[in-house]
Amino acid sequence: MMFLSAFLCVLIPLLSAFAVVKTFSVFERANVELGFHHYAEKADPDTILKMPANAVVNLGYGMVGLYWLRRANKQRHKLKDEAFFFYVFAWMSLFYGFVQFGRIVTQTRSFAILDQWLTLPFFAWIVCWNEFMYRGYWQTPRFLSIMRISVLSYFAVLFHDFAFEAVLGLHILTGVVYSLRTQFKPDLGTHKSCVFFYLALISCAGFVVLKLSDHYLARYSLFQTLTGHFWSKVCDVTQIHFAASFFNNLRAQGIKEKN
């Protein structure tokens, strides 16, 4: 039941966001990168994948999502309520891979906006997860408020060209701060969870640097077939995996009843 609930908790908002983007022109003002010239990989518009490396790398999101769905399902009796966080996070990764793939092969504004918009709830869910682990009990109203604020914060793109980068940076910073608080709570953080926290942080930094350096790195032969953008996606996938591993290696607390 929890497995299906998590699936619907991701699918319904995703379909709602897709409907908003396709039906209304509210995000026409959003500053998104469209066109193959934004990527260092040489594109062939006449092929299905357009940019093979940048298209196929998105399978990694699905692989990580399936891995954690299976692992959480096997540990669901031990994880109890926390299994829901793993399920949602894994489903988000799985669906995000489809959105990323759609953006690469279609180069349409709809997929570009969805790509940006769906990035924010990833970090908001990290905040909710940390709250659950740190406090040791379920807080439905609080979790819903955090996710609503995250989703609605994307509307900031209507007011400034670099609003998305600012909002995303704030999301990342909040996720890091909450994770540090959880890690350093006595009897909660472990050596392994600390290692995975820093691996996730390094992966996040790698994603940002490699993506921004895509065209610059293409001057070097090492980054001409598998470009900076390709490796940035590899970092993004490992970031998701290490984030889930961080929570998986925290010491479990006694979970109180749901509010």
Side-chain angles (χ1 to χ4, degrees), residues 82-104:
E82 193 192 355
F84 185 76
F85 287 89
F86 281 101
Y87 286 145
V88 169
F89 201 60
W91 281 121
M92 289 171 73
S93 180
L94 192 61
F95 285 123
Y96 191 60
F98 286 107
V99 173
Q100 286 279 347
F101 180 81
R103 180 173 186 176
I104 292 295

Side-chain angles (χ1 to χ4, degrees), residues 26 29 39 72 82 115 132 145 151 165 167 193 210 239 248:
V26 63
R29 173 71 178 79
Y39 304 86
E82 193 192 355
D115 176 15
F132 176 77
S145 295
V151 170
E165 286 77 7
V167 171
S193 65
L210 288 166
Q239 176 185 198
N248 195 52

Side-chain angles (χ1 to χ4, degrees), residues 28 54 73 75 86 103 106 120 126 136 154 163 172 175 203 213-214 217 219 229 242 250:
E28 286 300 311
N54 280 325
N73 204 46
Q75 299 179 337
F86 281 101
R103 180 173 186 176
T106 67
L120 303 179
I126 289 290
Y154 184 67
I172 294 173
S203 295
S213 306
D214 191 23
L217 292 172
R219 297 188 296 179
H229 189 273
F242 291 143
L250 293 170

Side-chain angles (χ1 to χ4, degrees), residues 109-129:
R109 172 170 285 273
S110 296
F111 274 107
I113 291 172
L114 279 177
D115 176 15
Q116 287 187 345
W117 201 355
L118 298 181
T119 302
L120 303 179
F122 262 109
F123 293 97
W125 193 243
I126 289 290
V127 172
C128 293
W129 203 340

Side-chain angles (χ1 to χ4, degrees), residues 9-10 13-14 16-17 20 27 92 113 116-125 143-157 164 167 171:
C9 281
V10 177
L14 175 61
S16 299
V20 168
F27 291 121
M92 289 171 73
I113 291 172
Q116 287 187 345
W117 201 355
L118 298 181
T119 302
L120 303 179
F122 262 109
F123 293 97
W125 193 243
F143 297 155
L144 288 175
S145 295
I146 291 171
M147 296 306 291
R148 286 195 196 104
I149 291 171
S150 175
V151 170
L152 293 175
S153 69
Y154 184 67
F155 284 82
V157 301
F164 171 71
V167 171
H171 273 71

Side-chain angles (χ1 to χ4, degrees), residues 47-250:
T47 61
I48 296 176
L49 296 179
K50 306 300 189 293
M51 292 179 288
N54 280 325
V56 174
V57 72
N58 294 304
L59 289 173
Y61 293 101
M63 292 170 64
V64 167
L66 290 173
Y67 171 81
W68 282 105
L69 282 175
R70 182 175 180 273
R71 184 163 180 173
N73 204 46
K74 289 175 65 176
Q75 299 179 337
R76 65 186 182 279
H77 297 299
K78 174 186 175 182
L79 293 170
K80 298 180 181 178
D81 284 350
E82 193 192 355
F84 185 76
F85 287 89
F86 281 101
Y87 286 145
V88 169
F89 201 60
W91 281 121
M92 289 171 73
S93 180
L94 192 61
F95 285 123
Y96 191 60
F98 286 107
V99 173
Q100 286 279 347
F101 180 81
R103 180 173 186 176
I104 292 295
V105 301
T106 67
Q107 289 298 306
T108 59
R109 172 170 285 273
S110 296
F111 274 107
I113 291 172
L114 279 177
D115 176 15
Q116 287 187 345
W117 201 355
L118 298 181
T119 302
L120 303 179
F122 262 109
F123 293 97
W125 193 243
I126 289 290
V127 172
C128 293
W129 203 340
N130 273 295
E131 275 287 278
F132 176 77
M133 296 303 296
Y134 185 86
R135 298 183 184 277
Y137 59 89
W138 193 273
Q139 308 169 82
T140 300
R142 186 177 182 86
F143 297 155
L144 288 175
S145 295
I146 291 171
M147 296 306 291
R148 286 195 196 104
I149 291 171
S150 175
V151 170
L152 293 175
S153 69
Y154 184 67
F155 284 82
V157 301
L158 303 178
F159 305 103
H160 197 279
D161 285 347
F162 296 104
F164 171 71
E165 286 77 7
V167 171
L168 177 58
L170 185 59
H171 273 71
I172 294 173
L173 180 61
T174 305
V176 170
V177 170
Y178 271 74
S179 296
L180 281 172
R181 185 185 68 159
T182 300
Q183 172 60 36
F184 289 109
K185 182 177 182 180
D187 301 324
L188 188 55
T190 66
H191 175 70
K192 282 188 175 181
S193 65
C194 186
V195 170
F196 283 117
F197 167 77
Y198 285 113
L199 286 174
L201 197 60
I202 291 169
S203 295
C204 183
F207 165 73
V208 174
V209 172
L210 288 166
K211 185 175 182 179
L212 293 176
S213 306
D214 191 23
H215 283 92
Y216 174 81
L217 292 172
R219 297 188 296 179
Y220 303 96
S221 58
L222 184 63
F223 292 96
Q224 288 177 355
T225 302
L226 299 179
T227 63
H229 189 273
F230 170 88
W231 290 112
S232 76
K233 290 301 173 186
V234 173
C235 286
D236 200 23
V237 170
T238 59
Q239 176 185 198
I240 294 171
H241 176 66
F242 291 143
S245 298
F246 164 75
F247 288 105
N248 195 52
N249 282 279
L250 293 170

